[in-house]
Amino acid sequence: QLQLEEFGGGLVQPGGSLRLSCAASRFRLASFSIGWFRQAPGKEREGVACLNSRDGYIHYIDSVKGRFTISRDNAENTMYLQMDNLKPEDAAVYYCAAEAYGLGTRTSCRSGISDFKADYWGQGTQVTVSS
């Protein structure tokens, strides 16, 4: 069974909002750093945000700062991406991801999203932004 299951994608107009959810099964999300990535047609996958709650690191790509918020609810074993003021260039398939906290060998999401190395991926959910 897929260990990360995503919900919440859909069609919105520019300026609209969506909240993506990603529920973990078979593992304890509290023991993981979390991230969101996206891939637009014809483009490479890019990191959108990451959150290392254990060590206190959070990063967003510049294009979504002030508009997107990454968060988690460990009691529900679920991570979220709140997306506000959506733009056409935000349209993509969005993927949630999780990286296990280590024992000091490396620090997830330390200096940027490039420091996040996913151990598990969601199946992807389509976000379409169109008038």
Side-chain angles (χ1 to χ4, degrees):
Q1 184 183 349
L2 189 70
Q3 299 200 29
L4 292 172
E5 187 174 9
E6 303 182 38
F7 305 89
L11 172 66
V12 296
Q13 293 185 338
S17 297
L18 282 175
R19 186 176 180 85
L20 306 183
S21 301
C22 178
S25 61
R26 302 178 183 270
F27 70 94
R28 183 170 174 266
L29 192 60
S31 298
F32 286 72
S33 179
I34 59 173
W36 286 93
F37 296 76
R38 67 187 182 188
Q39 187 168 24
K43 303 291 184 65
E44 294 185 355
R45 185 167 59 193
E46 66 176 349
V48 176
C50 61
L51 172 62
N52 177 336
S53 298
R54 184 192 71 176
D55 301 303
Y57 296 108
I58 185 168
H59 292 283
Y60 297 90
I61 52 171
D62 288 343
S63 61
V64 309
K65 288 180 179 177
R67 300 189 298 118
F68 289 14
T69 304
I70 185 172
S71 64
R72 69 198 305 156
D73 185 338
N74 288 334
E76 294 293 327
N77 224 33
T78 301
M79 57 187 291
Y80 305 94
L81 184 68
Q82 177 67 44
M83 303 184 293
D84 297 319
N85 191 24
L86 282 159
K87 302 177 179 180
E89 53 262 42
D90 295 319
V93 176
Y94 282 71
Y95 299 89
C96 59
E99 179 185 4
Y101 294 128
L103 298 175
T105 56
R106 66 178 304 277
T107 302
S108 180
C109 194
R110 183 183 62 186
S111 298
I113 304 172
S114 64
D115 290 328
F116 181 94
K117 307 298 181 183
D119 293 312
Y120 300 107
W121 290 95
Q123 83 279 11
T125 185
Q126 177 71 54
V127 172
T128 303
V129 185
S130 176
S131 299

